[in-house]
Amino acid sequence: TWKRDGEVVVNADRPLLKDLDELPWPDRDLVPAERYIVGLRTQDPCFMVLASRGCPFRCTFCLWVPVMFDNKVRFREVGKVVDEIEDLQRRYAAREVFFHDDTVNVTVRRVEEICNEILRRDLRIGWIANFRPDPTTPGLFRLMKKAGCTKILLGVESGSQRILDESIGKEITLREVEDAIRWARQAGIRVHCTYALGAPGETRETLQETLEFIKRTDPDDIQVSLMTPLPGTPFYERVKDQVADWRDFDGVSGRSWCDLSTEELRNAMNRIYAEHYLAPLRVLRRVARIRNLCDIRENWRQFKALLSRYAATGLPRPIGAPYKGQEQA
């Protein structure tokens, strides 16, 4: 996409590269290894690796699947993926890698192949991955832990099954999420869950369901944002007539796309963070879990983020508490 005489010109899409193994590895010598900072890591140094591109699922808010990869999935050869990991360990003393695939566990067999190859080579390295609650098994998580998995990221989005089915198209059940979190933690793998508030049909009741679901499943970490209509996604097509300015694309301080006010959604986001991270038992567990300098830095980063959030917004109200003008309604 480019401009000619002030006019935007959009070229035809180039065909997707079929063989990802044709691509060279990133030239990581361009930047000193200590400058690579990977969010959500548990050890340093940590590097990002892609074992695949694309995802077969069709969450309505996701940009990458329809726009970047045309709903197609392409895999790198497992042996070549592990070659890259081995090179990172040898050349840069990598202690962890982050599989930044859209969905690492498109199939259980694919994850098993990666784990078994890491174990066959006796690579002692941690790894993190973007995951779905299904397909998984308790045995898969045990194998992952044995192969070095330190953390998984689960996109949950809502604690309301109705919102997942009708507005987000997640193709998962909350029971599957509960099972995945429990099995991962039983295997000794940390769990980071992401949520997106404000999908069409969101209500105070569904927000409360999300809060209660987080309390019940008790993941190690959470990330909460507001639904964002990125152009090219089904969600954008649904609400594009309401888009007013660039602030509408901010997933943290953006706006509401449901019948609840933006203020109420932002308050719910802050309330969920407060109830999750400031619970006394959780604070004690986090302190007891500190094992290295990276843990100290990550806890300090999250603590500062909470302080800045509530310094800007004040302490959040309970979900559903009335705002000015609502008392009379």
Side-chain angles (χ1 to χ4, degrees):
T1 300
W2 52 293
K3 276 189 176 183
R4 179 175 55 203
D5 300 326
E7 296 295 322
V8 175
V9 179
V10 181
N11 290 343
D13 289 344
R14 185 182 68 181
L16 294 175
L17 182 68
K18 292 183 179 179
D19 185 3
L20 297 182
D21 291 317
E22 292 179 7
L23 295 171
W25 298 343
D27 187 353
R28 296 182 173 95
D29 288 332
L30 292 173
V31 180
E34 63 271 16
R35 297 291 184 94
Y36 283 98
I37 304 298
V38 179
L40 306 178
R41 70 202 183 283
T42 69
Q43 303 174 75
D44 282 320
C46 178
F47 295 85
M48 286 191 178
V49 172
L50 276 174
S52 66
R53 290 181 177 177
C55 176
F57 304 100
R58 297 174 183 263
C59 302
T60 59
F61 61 84
C62 183
L63 176 71
W64 305 113
V65 173
V67 175
M68 295 293 292
F69 301 131
D70 194 28
N71 290 104
K72 294 180 174 62
V73 184
R74 291 156 294 149
F75 299 104
R76 291 177 61 194
E77 184 182 318
V78 167
K80 294 182 178 179
V81 173
V82 182
D83 284 345
E84 184 178 355
I85 295 172
E86 196 167 19
D87 182 73
L88 287 170
Q89 192 173 54
R90 177 177 57 83
R91 295 179 62 192
Y92 305 104
R95 298 182 63 195
E96 192 168 65
V97 294
F98 190 152
F99 286 111
H100 213 258
D101 307 41
D102 296 289
T103 306
V104 164
N105 62 322
V106 172
T107 67
V108 168
R109 182 179 177 182
R110 171 74 175 176
V111 182
E112 290 174 339
E113 289 175 350
I114 293 173
C115 290
N116 287 329
E117 184 63 17
I118 290 173
L119 290 169
R120 187 186 70 80
R121 300 192 195 191
D122 196 28
L123 292 183
R124 307 298 176 88
I125 191 167
W127 53 274
I128 302 169
N130 292 315
F131 233 69
R132 274 180 62 89
D134 179 63
T136 56
T137 66
L140 178 64
F141 286 116
R142 290 193 293 270
L143 177 63
M144 289 163 54
K145 178 63 176 179
K146 186 178 179 182
C149 182
T150 50
K151 179 189 288 187
I152 59 168
L153 278 63
L154 290 178
V156 184
E157 320 315 344
S158 177
S160 164
Q161 191 66 54
R162 178 178 65 80
I163 294 295
L164 291 179
D165 295 342
E166 297 178 4
S167 295
I168 297 180
K170 194 71 184 178
E171 298 181 50
I172 60 173
T173 67
L174 293 175
R175 176 61 184 270
E176 289 168 342
V177 177
E178 291 184 73
D179 287 343
I181 294 173
R182 184 176 69 258
W183 294 338
R185 296 189 64 186
Q186 286 173 350
I189 297 171
R190 298 186 191 183
V191 181
H192 176 107
C193 292
T194 61
Y195 290 86
L197 310 182
E202 188 87 86
T203 64
R204 291 170 190 152
E205 289 72 28
T206 58
L207 290 175
Q208 188 65 38
E209 286 179 52
T210 295
L211 174 59
E212 294 303 323
F213 185 76
I214 293 171
K215 289 181 177 180
R216 185 167 70 253
T217 54
D218 194 28
D220 295 280
D221 289 294
I222 59 171
Q223 177 180 327
V224 188
S225 58
L226 303 183
M227 282 282 287
T228 306
L230 299 174
T233 64
F235 179 48
Y236 176 81
E237 292 301 316
R238 183 170 180 174
V239 302
K240 63 182 179 182
D241 292 341
Q242 304 174 45
V243 173
D245 56 45
W246 283 108
R247 286 173 295 184
D248 292 346
F249 300 106
D250 184 339
V252 177
S253 57
R255 54 160 293 183
S256 171
W257 307 99
C258 60
D259 291 337
L260 300 176
S261 69
T262 299
E263 183 183 17
E264 195 161 354
L265 285 180
R266 290 175 185 165
N267 176 78
M269 179 170 60
N270 291 335
R271 184 75 188 189
I272 290 171
Y273 272 128
E275 295 212 21
H276 182 75
Y277 281 110
L278 300 182
L281 183 58
R282 173 161 299 282
V283 172
L284 290 174
R285 282 212 308 254
R286 290 184 72 89
V287 172
R289 199 178 62 188
I290 292 174
R291 294 290 181 271
N292 52 45
L293 185 59
C294 186
D295 284 343
I296 295 173
R297 289 171 177 163
E298 180 62 15
N299 278 283
W300 176 241
R301 183 191 67 79
Q302 292 191 8
F303 179 65
K304 288 194 300 182
L306 283 174
L307 284 181
S308 62
R309 177 181 297 274
Y310 301 128
T313 64
L315 292 176
R317 304 165 181 238
I319 291 175
Y323 287 79
K324 277 186 181 179
Q326 292 182 332
E327 296 92 338
Q328 306 299 324

